[in-house]
Amino acid sequence: MKYTDRQVHVPLCSVSTTSSLVNKTGTWKSAQPLFIDRVSPCNQQCPAGEDITGYMYLVGQGRYEEAWRLIMEENPFPAIMGRVCFHTCEERCNRTEHDDAVSIHMVERFIGDYGLANSLRITVPGPERKERVAIVGAGPAGLTAAYHLRKMGNGVSIFDSNQKPGGMMRYGIPSYRLPKEVLDGEISRLDEMGVEFKIAVKVGKDVTWDSLDNEFEAVFMGIGAWEETSLGIEGLNKKGIYNALEFLEDINLGKEPKIGKRIAVIGGGNSAIDCARVSRRLGAEATIVYRRSEAEMPAHTEEIEMAREEGVRFLFLASPKAIYGEETVAGVKLEKMALGEMDDSGRRRPVPTGETFDIDCDGMITAIGEATRVGDLPPFTSHRGGVVEADRMGQTTHLRFFAGGDIIDIPHTVTHAIGSGKRAAVAIDRFLRGIENDKDSPDQFTWGESGTINLAWLKGTSLFCRRNPSLEVVDYTDMNPFYFDCLPGVKTKRIPVDERLKGFQEVSEPFSEEEVISEARRCFNCGSCTECGNCCIFCPENSIKRDPDGYGYVADMDFCKGCGICVNECPRGAMTMKLME
Amino acid sequence: MIEIRFHGRGGQGTVVASKLLATSLFLDGKYSQSFPAFGTERRGAPVTAFLRVDDKPVRIRTEIYEPDHIVILDPLLVDQVPLTDGLKRDGIVIINSSRKPMEFADRFKGFKVATVPAGQIAVKHHLGTPQSPIVNTAILGAVAKVLSIVTMENLIEAIKSDVPSKADENAAAAQEAYKTVSDVVQL
Amino acid sequence: MRKVLTGNQAVAYGAMLSDVQVVAAYPITPQTTIIEELADMQAEGLADLDYIRVESEHSAMAACIGASMGGVRTFTATCGQGLFLMHEMLHYATGARTPVVLANVNRAIAAPWSIWSDQTDSVSQRETGWIQLYCEGNQEVLDTTIMAFKIAESLRLPAMVILDAFFLSHTSEPIEIPDIEAVRDFLPPYDPGDLWLDPDNPRTFGSLCMPDTYMEFRWQIQRDMERAKQVIDEVQDDFGRVFGRNYRQVEGYRSDDADVVMVVSGTVASTGRDAIDFLRARGEGVGMVKIKTLRPFPRQELVAALRGKKKVAVIDRNFSPGATGVWAQEIRSALYELPEDERPIIYGYIAGLGGRDISIKTIEEIYQKTREADQPDDVDIWIGVNYV
């Protein structure tokens, strides 16, 4: 018989007679994948609670206004922040394990400048509630608290004793780090949002604390630390001796402090660096005298580096003992120090050696720390040496009074002040709405282990849909580095030193748009699903699909066999395996 | 059937020359066939290409062992490659050279020779570089004139439609070579 | 439209005119310009296809099988070593019944390294269940590419279009490019029936097959290969009616009244026509038979063409070490069914390996040897080998 006359009872090729959907491979699993949005180390680190991975994602796609609005959810001053924040986020960036950290601050600066250049505005309705909040001190903490409270629908009045708002941002930071027009531009937005500014009004003198207590439903205190810590040696009243705060204030007011040609700056913090770098701009030689070694300096590394570039000299392990000179300072007697045991700050303690030596100088600036003027605090405030007693949200023992910025026990930086202002705004808003703040409540809306607040997270409006949100911080080992090329980061460019020393021109040059995009695209977006689709592509059971109802993906548990390949192939640690019981 | 063998170097456009001529002949209504001597082409290495043309379809698919004519794109090959192997007695040799045909009397004794300064023409029309001019379109202008097997009109059309770049310059080079090629001299 | 095209361009045009939907390929000399041309066609919007870049020929064929299982028209091209790397997947394509079309540019096998033409690569795939269609000119290459899709898809068997390296792949000649609408009428879109990977109705394909059913699947491949002989004829007839160019699996050239018949394939058939004319003009009683299909092997047609001839000279541009040229093996086996008095003497010749030219002189030499010897000297005779 011919082939064509015969038949067999099988199909043309081997194929199952039923749909493979009858085989519920989901019954095989002992663990299941979980789409989990975790906290990136940069976000966790950010004292202002910004969603860095979120705006990197947007900037990478050229969505600048959305990026600006995302930052503005958390921090009213992106252009300031991109310049003066010491960007500890970059130290924690997982990319440091891969190639170079993403230059987060330069991207933020670009976005901040984009907002200013395009006059982007935050529109808020008029106050929804009759309760009003007084803010005392228009520094970063007070302005931030005012901004958020206003956005939350509260009426806000802000008092400041200076002629212009800005606090330390205006009077403490030299304009080569923060140009005044950037500062003015960002603060002016608050004005337009209906924040009432009561400028050149000193609370405690022009108006009493009691009157605020009576007239306002809540008061935020952010009066800062304006008293320079004294060196505690003789002769500080000689001519040519300044403390850092008055020196920098004079500079920022455009005055020319009468200071010599060879300046000794005492201290190792950022103020000391500022004073030394300003001195160089005034044509003087500047030497920083610090009692510990460079490794213990609290000043930021980049600041030290730029000071060195500008010719600032450093004298370590030396502590002032006496000041020479008749009317005017002529030199300092220094004692050589050695490093001893660790102290509470985790740095090695300076130990006197008894050995002394002299240096000549005709000007001296003390910059060894600043504290709150105790006399400026309301009498009913409980404090310890000017550090106001407050809970984690900033509420003081006088319950209608909240505190933030340099008067509470946090690092004295603009970013920390902004974070504290936001925390207090949340606490005040809850207080006004009659929601009790107990000691555990911050945990409900703090982000990451360090407890900063991200408002979008709190409101559930994060850029990346936060499903199964976790406070767990993603580290490099959670990533799949295969998916990320090694690409060196864009380096910040600085203007030449001779240009810098001619005046107060901004030192760091902005990134170009291309550089900003390339930096933003280097971001791993740690812990956030960016809908890259890897989980979907690699699933051997075809069980992962786009979430029909929203962002991201869903796994069909009827077919997910728990192999975990999706979790392995998630580039950014936004998935985990959960054991089933 | 006419069979032509092209000799050049990798980079001069030898294979393209044979293909352009095949296309021109096709436009003339002829049956043509062109192909390279099969090898691994490298810049500078001697390259050979072939062309057949007939009034009926070309069926033979072998290399050309007894060409009717040869076309030499690089005059330096004269001392390096046995160019006239198998060349028929009446065969014409067209050489890219600024010298006169008589100057090749030793090399091509018994053959007919025409010369054309295709290299200079190519350089003048910015084809390739002065060190390494692309001479294929210029030499084809000379072929059109000397062998009278293809119309200039269709050669220009083939060049304009098929060269990857500088169509007008290549066409101009062919035109110039057509005008400047020497007379055929029996050596 | 007529145009001067190389054989490789002819393949690409054939695939493009066939509205191929997926191409997955890996470059290898002398095939590369096929896939370059297709990539260009896609980039220029001339061909609406998905081009999958892969890391090897094995993956290329695997991707083609997957795409074909997805129910779309699929194409790839390779040659020589690339075809060898595909070998495992070639079998799979047959068993999975995916009508992938592959253009293979015949390239000699290494070592020693060679990029030039011979058929050892494709004849080595004889047992993979692929239909093999050998071509003698660029027009046949283009036409066969189009026909290959129709043949493969109606049989659900993969098909290979085969052309000689350089002698076709890099040779330019004028050919007729059919009108795409006419091709679309001739070759409707691929219809996979209900045997395809439907995401909405997922089924398991190619799963483990127990001893009690395996043979049935393999038997169907053989049944359809036997059926293929008829299908190829029908498709070639249809093609001839529509486009006016006729192809046969076995084609005689001045062989009816010949005593000695040369059996050839590929470009040797083209040169062979000139050779036969040359020998005939000299008064020799010689003819030629061109075979287009190695698989399925056109046994009956060949028997009919060679029945009663005195001598048959088979020119193999390939060989099977320890046996003979592959065409000679096949022909000896086919002709064995003839009664002894009608059975010609078979002379097997190995020629043109590694791109060595098979010229009219070569064919003349083969004819001469066949005419002069009453019996072949050996199981096969190597032509042009420089013995010391």
Side-chain angles (χ1 to χ4, degrees):
Chain A
M1 230 199 287
K2 285 180 176 170
Y3 281 107
T4 41
D5 299 335
R6 296 178 192 269
Q7 286 304 322
V8 286
H9 295 288
V10 296
L12 200 57
C13 61
S14 72
V15 57
S16 56
T17 48
T18 56
S19 160
S20 13
L21 295 177
V22 299
N23 186 6
K24 305 262 183 193
T25 43
T27 57
W28 304 356
K29 63 178 166 293
S30 56
Q32 67 179 55
L34 188 65
F35 293 94
I36 180 169
D37 285 301
R38 293 190 273 190
V39 181
S40 62
C42 55
N43 285 355
Q44 139 78 20
Q45 182 66 22
C46 180
E50 292 185 2
D51 183 359
I52 296 164
T53 52
Y55 67 78
M56 289 294 157
Y57 177 76
L58 293 171
V59 172
Q61 299 176 7
R63 294 155 70 180
Y64 305 135
E65 178 164 348
E66 287 170 79
W68 184 82
R69 294 197 182 279
L70 190 69
I71 301 176
M72 293 295 285
E73 280 289 298
E74 313 300 333
N75 181 339
F77 306 125
I80 297 172
M81 197 81 308
R83 290 175 165 84
V84 304
C85 180
F86 293 121
H87 45 82
T88 48
C89 49
E90 294 178 24
E91 289 162 21
R92 289 287 306 272
C93 178
N94 277 334
R95 196 109 202 173
T96 55
E97 307 270 325
H98 199 64
D99 39 33
D100 296 329
V102 175
S103 192
I104 298 167
H105 70 293
M106 291 305 283
V107 176
E108 185 175 22
R109 172 172 159 184
F110 175 89
I111 291 305
D113 289 350
Y114 178 88
L116 288 173
N118 293 282
S119 304
L120 299 183
R121 290 286 177 268
I122 299 293
T123 48
V124 285
E128 294 155 10
R129 299 214 307 272
K130 62 180 188 336
E131 289 92 347
R132 290 170 59 234
V133 183
I135 308 280
V136 184
L143 291 168
T144 304
Y147 169 81
H148 286 297
L149 284 164
R150 189 64 205 83
K151 278 186 75 186
M152 292 168 189
N154 301 287
V156 179
S157 297
I158 186 160
F159 298 80
D160 196 279
S161 59
N162 283 310
Q163 297 301 311
K164 283 184 171 179
M168 281 294 181
M169 296 191 293
R170 182 178 301 281
Y171 299 106
I173 296 176
S175 52
Y176 61 81
R177 279 174 56 201
L178 175 59
K180 293 288 176 278
E181 58 274 18
V182 172
L183 180 68
D184 290 338
E186 299 232 288
I187 292 176
S188 72
R189 286 195 293 255
L190 270 74
D191 221 353
E192 291 160 25
M193 288 168 67
V195 172
E196 185 190 17
F197 278 88
K198 292 185 182 274
I199 291 303
V201 177
K202 189 171 171 73
V203 177
K205 195 176 126 203
D206 303 325
V207 289
T208 63
W209 288 103
D210 283 336
S211 67
L212 295 188
D213 201 1
N214 293 332
E215 284 170 33
F216 292 88
E217 275 68 29
V219 178
F220 174 81
M221 301 185 292
I223 61 171
W226 290 81
E227 190 161 271
E228 191 68 41
T229 307
S230 172
L231 258 180
I233 56 173
E234 293 293 315
L236 287 170
N237 54 355
K238 290 191 207 312
K239 278 189 188 162
I241 301 184
Y242 279 80
N243 72 49
L245 286 173
E246 53 188 39
F247 178 72
L248 292 173
E249 185 170 345
D250 277 2
I251 291 294
N252 281 309
L253 286 169
K255 294 182 196 164
E256 291 248 334
K258 290 192 175 50
I259 198 155
K261 286 286 162 201
R262 284 185 299 161
I263 318 292
V265 180
I266 314 297
N270 288 310
S271 296
I273 300 282
D274 283 343
C275 292
R277 292 179 68 192
V278 167
S279 301
R280 293 289 297 131
R281 281 164 175 74
L282 297 177
E285 289 175 16
T287 303
I288 285 181
V289 178
Y290 181 49
R291 58 191 181 139
R292 309 193 209 212
S293 74
E294 181 165 355
E296 288 80 28
M297 279 180 84
H300 197 259
T301 324
E302 282 178 31
E303 293 287 316
I304 298 169
E305 186 184 301
M306 285 188 278
R308 274 226 170 79
E309 287 170 2
E310 291 164 13
V312 172
R313 287 179 224 148
F314 290 82
L315 194 52
F316 295 113
L317 294 168
S319 178
K321 288 287 131 192
I323 296 168
Y324 299 116
E326 296 299 319
E327 268 185 39
T328 306
V329 59
V332 192
K333 179 181 184 178
L334 299 169
E335 179 173 8
K336 278 194 183 170
M337 309 296 274
L339 291 176
E341 298 296 302
M342 292 285 180
D343 67 9
D344 293 344
S345 68
R347 297 175 299 163
R348 292 182 68 189
R349 191 190 304 275
V351 181
T353 61
E355 198 182 329
T356 62
F357 63 104
D358 296 338
I359 58 166
D360 292 337
C361 66
D362 55 6
M364 180 171 134
I365 305 168
T366 63
I368 59 167
E370 57 287 320
T372 304
R373 288 188 193 118
V374 172
D376 289 349
L377 289 169
F380 41 77
T381 303
S382 166
H383 67 88
R384 261 181 301 183
V387 178
V388 172
E389 208 179 304
D391 70 7
R392 281 163 63 194
M393 296 300 287
Q395 193 167 28
T396 68
T397 49
H398 190 78
L399 294 182
R400 281 205 282 161
F401 275 58
F402 296 77
D406 290 354
I407 69 169
I408 61 170
D409 188 15
I410 56 172
H412 290 189
T413 75
V414 174
T415 321
H416 283 89
I418 287 173
S420 74
K422 180 162 71 172
R423 259 195 315 274
V426 172
I428 291 168
D429 188 64
R430 287 164 63 89
F431 174 76
L432 296 178
R433 290 168 197 271
I435 307 168
E436 198 182 336
N437 286 308
D438 59 38
K439 66 178 172 48
D440 295 328
S441 56
D443 293 336
Q444 299 165 27
F445 35 74
T446 54
W447 202 11
E449 293 141 357
S450 73
T452 58
I453 292 180
N454 177 277
L455 286 171
W457 171 281
L458 176 57
K459 290 189 284 184
T461 58
S462 284
L463 174 68
F464 302 114
C465 175
R466 301 292 177 188
R467 286 182 308 174
N468 306 308
S470 161
L471 294 182
E472 202 185 319
V473 175
V474 178
D475 71 24
Y476 187 65
T477 57
D478 296 317
M479 319 292 294
N480 189 334
F482 174 83
Y483 291 103
F484 303 101
D485 289 341
C486 279
L487 300 164
V490 181
K491 296 278 175 287
T492 308
K493 289 179 282 293
R494 297 167 186 157
I495 63 170
V497 170
D498 51 352
E499 288 291 312
R500 295 188 214 170
L501 296 184
K502 281 180 194 158
F504 284 77
Q505 199 186 328
E506 189 166 14
V507 171
S508 299
E509 294 185 54
F511 275 5
S512 68
E513 186 172 348
E514 293 71 36
E515 288 170 330
V516 162
I517 288 187
S518 104
E519 275 304 279
R521 286 185 183 163
R522 289 177 65 241
C523 176
F524 287 158
N525 307 105
C526 305
S528 297
C529 174
T530 59
E531 298 189 308
C532 72
N534 264 12
C535 52
C536 194
I537 291 164
F538 280 94
C539 176
E541 295 299 326
N542 208 15
S543 72
I544 298 181
K545 301 256 161 38
R546 284 298 286 265
D547 185 344
D549 303 323
Y551 192 90
Y553 303 88
V554 283
D556 186 340
M557 287 303 148
D558 278 350
F559 299 102
C560 167
K561 62 186 179 192
C563 65
I565 289 175
C566 49
V567 174
N568 241 352
E569 298 305 328
C570 176
R572 33 190 62 84
M575 293 185 81
T576 189
M577 287 306 283
K578 198 176 90 183
L579 277 176
M580 300 165 70
E581 283 185 339
Chain B
M1 182 161 63
I2 297 172
E3 295 183 314
I4 300 173
R5 199 166 63 203
F6 290 77
H7 295 276
R9 290 184 192 279
Q12 289 181 320
T14 315
V15 177
V16 175
S18 72
K19 189 165 181 182
L20 283 172
L21 188 54
T23 303
S24 321
L25 290 162
F26 158 70
L27 295 172
D28 279 350
K30 301 275 179 33
Y31 290 94
S32 56
Q33 178 199 64
S34 81
F35 52 101
F38 317 126
T40 44
E41 291 86 0
R42 290 152 299 161
R43 179 165 292 271
V47 165
T48 309
F50 307 100
L51 176 116
R52 290 190 174 98
V53 58
D54 205 343
D55 294 325
K56 57 184 198 305
V58 179
R59 300 187 299 199
I60 183 165
R61 297 183 183 280
T62 69
E63 297 197 358
I64 292 172
Y65 300 99
E66 293 177 358
D68 294 287
H69 310 292
I70 61 172
V71 178
I72 302 166
L73 282 80
D74 187 334
L76 296 178
L77 287 171
V78 168
D79 296 324
Q80 297 170 5
V81 176
L83 299 167
T84 52
D85 271 12
L87 177 60
K88 289 180 182 151
R89 288 313 298 176
D90 286 343
I92 298 176
V93 179
I94 300 170
I95 313 179
N96 162 25
S97 172
S98 49
R99 291 150 73 190
K100 292 192 168 57
M102 280 307 292
E103 296 180 54
F104 291 93
D106 290 349
R107 290 287 165 199
F108 298 121
K109 196 144 194 69
F111 297 107
K112 296 173 181 156
V113 171
T115 59
V116 60
Q120 291 171 14
I121 294 171
V123 169
K124 184 175 156 192
H125 294 280
H126 309 290
L127 302 171
T129 62
Q131 296 75 34
S132 177
I134 298 171
V135 300
N136 55 0
T137 45
I139 205 104
L140 287 178
V143 169
K145 176 71 184 293
V146 171
L147 300 183
S148 304
I149 55 168
V150 66
T151 61
M152 200 55 191
E153 184 192 349
N154 283 330
L155 175 62
I156 297 298
E157 190 182 331
I159 288 172
K160 288 196 172 175
S161 67
D162 284 7
V163 296
S165 68
K166 296 192 179 175
D168 291 337
E169 290 89 333
N170 276 294
Q175 300 274 23
E176 185 171 341
Y178 184 88
K179 292 186 194 115
T180 52
V181 64
S182 73
D183 291 336
V184 178
V185 177
Q186 174 73 51
L187 300 177
Chain C
M1 183 179 57
R2 283 180 74 75
K3 225 175 161 173
V4 176
L5 294 183
T6 64
N8 280 353
Q9 288 175 309
V11 172
Y13 270 88
M16 181 271 281
L17 293 170
S18 303
D19 285 328
V20 63
Q21 291 160 286
V22 171
V23 174
Y26 191 81
I28 177 171
T29 301
Q31 171 273 137
T32 307
T33 49
I34 297 177
I35 57 169
E36 281 178 352
E37 186 83 26
L38 279 167
D40 281 348
M41 287 172 170
Q42 187 224 27
E44 289 160 13
L46 210 60
D48 181 18
L49 55 88
D50 282 315
Y51 192 101
I52 307 173
R53 290 180 298 169
V54 286
E55 76 286 6
S56 75
E57 287 84 357
H58 188 277
S59 300
M61 185 47 64
C64 285
I65 293 167
S68 185
M69 293 290 285
V72 297
R73 185 166 291 157
T74 307
F75 174 81
T76 187
T78 189
C79 65
Q81 311 300 123
L83 189 66
F84 292 116
L85 185 51
M86 268 184 192
H87 177 78
E88 180 202 1
M89 287 288 113
L90 295 178
H91 277 291
Y92 201 102
T94 306
R97 304 305 294 261
T98 48
V100 176
V101 171
L102 179 160
N104 183 62
V105 180
N106 272 142
R107 165 177 161 171
I109 178 174
W113 209 237
S114 170
I115 56 171
W116 293 275
S117 194
D118 86 36
Q119 298 172 334
T120 310
D121 58 353
S122 56
V123 299
S124 295
Q125 314 307 326
R126 197 170 51 161
E127 270 73 73
T128 58
W130 279 64
I131 293 162
Q132 292 200 1
L133 306 162
Y134 290 79
C135 301
E136 66 168 295
N138 293 352
Q139 185 72 57
E140 185 174 12
V141 167
L142 190 152
D143 295 345
T144 303
T145 305
I146 296 168
M147 289 189 286
F149 284 107
K150 188 154 180 160
I151 295 163
E153 289 167 10
S154 49
L155 292 160
R156 296 276 307 213
L157 283 171
M160 209 180 277
V161 179
I162 298 160
L163 58 153
D164 287 349
F166 299 107
F167 294 112
L168 290 183
S169 70
H170 285 60
T171 295
S172 303
E173 60 187 1
I175 63 172
E176 177 69 31
I177 300 171
D179 177 56
I180 193 162
E181 290 307 327
V183 176
R184 283 175 181 153
D185 284 346
F186 171 76
L187 176 67
Y190 174 42
D191 173 12
D194 81 329
L195 278 185
W196 63 290
L197 278 169
D198 180 356
D200 295 327
N201 177 30
R203 285 178 295 168
T204 305
F205 284 82
S207 54
L208 184 72
C209 187
M210 295 299 169
D212 59 354
T213 44
Y214 184 83
M215 278 184 80
E216 282 72 9
F217 287 111
R218 304 311 290 181
W219 179 84
Q220 291 186 99
I221 294 168
Q222 170 63 357
R223 176 197 65 200
D224 292 338
M225 264 297 185
E226 285 298 318
R227 212 155 60 80
K229 296 172 182 174
Q230 189 192 335
V231 169
I232 294 168
D233 276 345
E234 284 165 9
V235 169
Q236 290 184 146
D237 289 346
D238 274 359
F239 191 90
R241 271 193 294 278
V242 177
F243 300 100
R245 288 184 294 279
N246 295 290
Y247 300 97
R248 312 294 329 147
Q249 297 180 62
V250 173
E251 181 198 339
Y253 183 75
R254 304 183 78 166
S255 61
D256 286 350
D257 59 344
D259 295 331
V260 176
V261 175
M262 328 265 284
V263 182
V264 296
S265 59
T267 49
V268 183
S270 187
T271 306
R273 293 173 200 272
D274 276 7
I276 297 297
D277 288 354
F278 166 76
L279 292 168
R280 280 275 177 164
R282 225 168 64 183
E284 309 286 351
V286 63
M288 183 184 90
V289 163
K290 166 197 170 188
I291 317 186
K292 186 174 171 67
T293 45
L294 175 62
R295 282 293 178 270
F297 193 73
R299 192 183 183 88
Q300 284 170 330
E301 292 87 335
L302 202 77
V303 168
L306 300 179
R307 178 192 290 267
K309 302 295 177 197
K310 276 164 72 180
K311 294 177 177 177
V312 167
V314 183
I315 304 181
D316 266 298
R317 196 172 221 158
N318 67 77
F319 82 109
S320 175
T324 65
V326 167
W327 295 102
Q329 291 175 31
E330 297 283 347
I331 290 162
R332 283 195 177 99
S333 159
L335 297 191
Y336 191 75
E337 69 183 47
L338 285 172
E340 212 167 327
D341 58 335
E342 289 185 328
R343 198 189 298 154
I345 307 170
I346 310 290
Y347 294 71
Y349 296 94
I350 307 291
L353 299 183
R356 193 168 294 191
D357 216 353
I358 299 181
S359 64
I360 292 176
K361 277 200 169 67
T362 317
I363 296 169
E364 184 187 6
E365 181 188 345
I366 289 170
Y367 167 70
Q368 217 73 21
K369 281 184 190 295
T370 310
R371 198 192 60 182
E372 285 161 12
D374 291 337
Q375 287 291 325
D377 293 348
D378 214 328
V379 287
D380 54 26
I381 301 142
W382 287 54
I383 297 298
V385 177
N386 297 312
Y387 301 105
V388 289

